[in-house]
Amino acid sequence: YVALLKKDSKIFFSTPTFFTNIALSPLLGAIAVIVVAIKMSNAQTATDIDEDLKIFINYAPTIIIGISAFIYGMTPATSIAINMEGKKFWLMKSLPIDEKKYLLSKILFNMILYIPFILISGIVAIIFLKPGILDCISIIIAPIVFSLCYSFVGLIFNLKHPNIDYTNPAQAVKQNNGVLFTLLI
């Protein structure tokens, strides 16, 4: 797995379009979760809030999980991982590498990118919202599970509809059905 992860990280960091499209999703997700948690925390302590807003605040952990699930699923790295291999993908298929290891390395790479952001934003949300123990666990575990599901879905769509014949890496990232289908799901 280490060699495959190194190869994926080399492609990730050497292709600016790939890096910005994939790195922005977890970063923006973390920022959104933290901002919403802080705003809801401030609203919880306010005394002059509207009755409708109080109902909204009661569902703060669910809202945090929903935001996480949506934003962290916008662009999983697996939805364009095969595209980024380009014509080398056929070479990878001919190497004596187990297909399961190859595909799991793509999912593992995506999770390595997302889990730190999920943990940091989840911990900050827990600190500000002070939810119950079950909500704390859900705020951390649910986004990880959603990201894992999005990783699998993105990889499946990218395997079914790869765009490996491109002249510029931006085409592989931007003109990709895998991202669209993953986002729709």
Side-chain angles (χ1 to χ4, degrees), residues 32-44 64 124-125 128-129:
V33 167
I34 290 169
V35 167
V36 169
I38 291 170
K39 292 289 186 184
M40 288 187 165
S41 172
N42 291 341
Q44 283 176 341
I64 294 293
V124 170
F128 278 99
L129 296 175

Side-chain angles (χ1 to χ4, degrees), residues 38-113:
I38 291 170
K39 292 289 186 184
M40 288 187 165
S41 172
N42 291 341
Q44 283 176 341
T45 58
T47 56
D48 59 342
I49 58 173
D50 203 9
E51 193 63 36
D52 294 334
L53 189 57
K54 284 184 182 178
I55 294 170
F56 182 69
I57 292 170
N58 290 337
Y59 294 105
T62 307
I63 293 167
I64 294 293
I65 291 168
I67 291 169
S68 299
F70 177 73
I71 294 180
Y72 291 133
M74 287 178 73
T75 53
T78 55
S79 64
I80 50 180
I82 304 299
N83 293 358
M84 295 312 297
E85 297 281 343
K87 296 187 178 171
K88 295 177 192 171
F89 177 61
W90 302 113
L91 178 65
M92 291 300 294
K93 287 181 83 171
S94 66
L95 291 175
I97 298 172
D98 184 32
E99 289 177 14
K100 288 181 183 177
K101 274 190 177 179
Y102 175 74
L103 296 176
L104 285 176
S105 74
K106 300 287 185 195
I107 291 169
L108 183 61
F109 179 73
N110 187 64
M111 296 310 291
I112 289 171
L113 291 175

Side-chain angles (χ1 to χ4, degrees), residues 37 121-131 135-137 139-140:
S121 63
I123 290 168
V124 170
I126 289 168
I127 290 170
F128 278 99
L129 296 175
K130 298 173 183 64
D135 288 334
C136 290
I137 293 169
I139 287 172
I140 299 293

